[in-house]
Structures are given as C-alpha cells and as structure tokens.
Amino acid sequence: MRGAVLYAPGDVRVEERDDPKIIEPTDAIIRLSATCVCGSDLWPYRGIAPVDGPSPMGHEYVGIVQEVGSQVATIAPGEFVIGSFFASDNTCELCQAGYQSACLHREPIGAIGAQAELLRVPLADGTLVATPDIPSDDLVPSLLAASDVLGTGWFGAVAAEAGPHKAVAVVGDGAVGLLAVLAASQLGAERIIAMSRHAPRQLLAREFGATDIVEERGDDGVAKIKELTGGLGAHSVIEAVGTQESMLQAIGSTRPGGHVGYVGVAHGVELPGTELFYSHVHLHGGPAPVRRFLPQLIDLIWNRQVDPGTVFDLALPLEQAAEGYRAMDERRAIKTLLRP
C-alpha cells in the first residue's frame, strides 16, 4: 500500500509500505476513505518534536472495515467506521470514567500511520464506531473531523465548562480552535470570543458561532478579553495551541472561578506557581478522550446539525501529502484532507 512517511523535518514522502495484517485477535483492518494532516503533525515536521528516522504519519481516519480479528464482536466488514487517535479497550476503569485517551491498554494510532491506504486498528471493539449506513461523500469530511479535531475541540469546551449564560474565549484559530468555537456554540454558550488575526479563519469562526473576534495577543489579548467581559475575564477559555504564550494568555483571560480547557499539545509550557495560585482558575485538559464523544458527534453530523468538515480548506490525493504539509506549515491552509 501507499503511505506517508516523515524522514526528517520538512521531508515527507509517500512510498510503498507493507499492507497491514491482523496481529491480535482484537484488531481490524480498514480501507481508508479519507485521512488528513493534523496541526500536531507539524511539530515533528518543523523539527520542534524529534524525528527518529523514517516514521509513518497520521492519526485521523475514517473508512470501510475490510477484515476483523477473531475476537472482534461489534464491528463487521463492510461497515463505515470512525476511530480516535488512541486505540482504547473502552472497558477499563479509566475508559468507563470517560478518559479513553488514558486507557490502561491504549495504543497510539500515530505510531501505526493513518496517512495511508489501509490501517490496522488495535482494540477495534473499543476504538471504532460505525455509522448507521455508508455515508454520502459530502459527509465524509465532517466524519473525519470527528476523529480528532472536532472531538478535541469538543473536549476543550467541555473541560472549560462552556455552556448557557457563559462567555467563552478560544485561544488558537487552527482547526481545533475553530471547532472548539462550534462546540461552545452547540453547548449553548451565550458569547464566544475567537482570538484570530487571519481573515479566512475569522470568517469560519463566525460561521461556527463566534460572536466576537479579538486580534490582539499576549497581554494585549488578555486586556481585550477583560474589556469585553466587564473587566472580569471569560467564564470558560479553551487553549488550542500548546505554547507558553497561549497558555498564559488563556489563564490570564479567565475570570476567578473560571475554567481553562487546554487541548493544545504542550511544548515548552511552564506555569508560574504564584500567578496560578492567585488566579483561582480551574485547569483541565490533555489528550482528548475523543471516543467518549464519538457517538454524539456522529449523530450530529449524520443528521446534518453540524458541518465541521468545512474546516478542511484543502483537499489533495494522498500522493500529494507533502504539499498538504507545506500548505499548513506556511498557513496557506487551515487543514488538509487527503484522499487515498
């Protein structure tokens, strides 16, 4: 099969990889209908995260089940399925508490590589969720978004306790931040402030439910949020970047007693203890337990109540994965969809 491999920073190649095979009786093999490039893929692409030799890439996926192991009971060949970036058994104590991304038996899909034609999914019964039928082509991008960026944005909004009568601020205008806006809107937030300097992303944020746009960053961004919220700060702030500046901006923008949901993959983030102590801010986040939300998100998408697939503003064949990375790295694209 063909699959994307990262050899070194800036060096993505699509080449022949071995077809996946059933290894454990709990595995499934799916033929991918669509996959994509994630903002977190850019960390190794830019050399910020280490690249340890040729590495298969990709952790977002939807497709048709081709084969299942002997112990798979809830997923069958021919079904269209969506899974998360962590395989999980969905039965351990942590999964049952709603934290499948911390499953005691979790396996990272990124290490297997979903930017490919075929994918082996471990723990298939706990990881994969089937749609009611084979979806029409126009629903595929939205279902793909549910695999990570919608589920991650949704977790950010839930962790920040976004909801009715609350002002929500979103730090970050990538795919996760934009879909956090959509999630906050679906959760009933009264006011949603998107922090963005880029006109196309601002427009999409408005379409997803943003009521206000703030272009300032850092201390100026914090001051603007407070100005818009009666000097108090937002009730709920979603941090969707993962840098020191974005985390401090999120905490600073939150009113005492408010909540920060942080879902940006942290790089070099160190929190000042004294400032945090006196902020009276709740912090909750980490790798999103996307599996917790998949049934609800699939239902919303299937019934066309939300359209998160519009976050994909570039679609390419898998063979052009390198261009998809470049476009996102250069901020010419919000998110690249790849069709095997």
Side-chain angles (χ1 to χ4, degrees):
M1 69 169 184
R2 303 289 285 171
V5 178
L6 180 67
Y7 275 77
D11 184 6
V12 173
R13 310 175 196 176
V14 177
E15 59 187 29
E16 287 296 323
R17 292 176 47 201
D18 291 339
D19 285 357
K21 294 179 173 57
I22 298 290
I23 297 174
E24 300 291 340
T26 50
D27 290 346
I29 306 296
I30 66 174
R31 179 167 295 279
L32 296 172
S33 301
T35 180
C36 55
V37 181
C38 184
S40 62
D41 292 331
L42 297 181
W43 292 106
Y45 181 80
R46 291 169 172 164
I48 298 171
V51 181
D52 299 321
S55 304
M57 294 298 289
H59 53 262
E60 299 160 279
Y61 55 99
V62 295
I64 304 289
V65 178
Q66 302 292 294
E67 182 184 359
V68 298
S70 60
Q71 292 182 18
V72 176
T74 64
I75 298 296
E79 290 185 313
F80 187 94
V81 293
I82 301 102
S84 176
F85 50 84
F86 273 121
S88 58
D89 59 27
N90 208 33
T91 59
C92 78
E93 187 172 345
L94 296 177
C95 284
Q96 289 297 294
Y99 287 86
Q100 292 91 338
S101 50
C103 174
L104 294 173
H105 305 105
R106 71 179 186 180
E107 295 189 41
I109 296 296
I112 301 172
Q115 291 166 9
E117 294 177 311
L118 297 164
L119 176 69
R120 180 182 69 86
V121 180
L123 303 170
D125 278 338
T127 303
L128 299 173
V129 180
T131 54
D133 203 342
I134 304 299
S136 58
D137 286 346
D138 67 315
L139 281 182
V140 170
S142 286
L143 293 167
L144 177 61
S147 178
D148 182 354
V149 285
L150 176 59
T152 295
W154 201 278
F155 175 57
V158 168
E161 299 203 359
H165 314 300
K166 290 187 177 181
V168 179
V170 180
V171 180
D173 64 356
V176 169
L178 291 168
L179 291 175
V181 169
L182 183 152
S185 177
Q186 287 291 309
L187 292 169
E190 182 175 293
R191 189 174 197 178
I192 304 171
I193 305 163
M195 308 191 83
S196 172
R197 290 178 168 177
H198 304 88
R201 298 173 189 234
Q202 293 174 359
L203 180 61
L204 196 50
R206 294 276 192 189
E207 292 177 7
F208 285 153
T211 57
D212 301 87
I213 302 293
V214 167
E215 295 194 355
E216 293 84 352
R217 291 183 181 174
D219 291 342
D220 290 340
V222 170
K224 188 65 177 179
I225 294 292
K226 290 188 173 181
E227 177 187 327
L228 291 171
T229 55
L232 299 176
H235 301 88
S236 306
V237 179
I238 302 156
E239 190 285 318
V241 183
T243 65
Q244 179 82 355
E245 180 186 49
S246 62
M247 181 64 90
L248 293 181
Q249 183 171 309
I251 294 169
S253 299
T254 309
R255 68 178 58 196
H259 295 76
V260 174
Y262 58 93
V263 289
V265 180
H267 285 76
V269 175
E270 296 182 0
L271 300 181
T274 301
E275 182 178 332
L276 187 61
F277 181 77
Y278 285 103
S279 71
H280 287 104
V281 167
H282 301 76
L283 297 178
H284 182 44
V290 171
R291 178 61 180 82
R292 185 207 304 183
F293 306 109
L294 272 180
Q296 178 185 6
L297 300 182
I298 290 170
D299 185 66
L300 287 170
I301 293 164
W302 194 263
N303 292 301
R304 299 183 183 273
Q305 294 174 256
V306 296
D307 186 16
T310 55
V311 80
F312 293 103
D313 55 348
L314 179 62
L316 297 171
L318 176 64
E319 289 294 329
Q320 296 180 30
E323 169 55 22
Y325 276 81
R326 281 193 296 271
M328 288 178 62
D329 180 45
E330 297 166 4
R331 295 184 73 83
R332 292 184 284 112
I334 299 171
K335 191 165 180 66
T336 303
L337 183 145
L338 299 173
R339 291 197 179 271

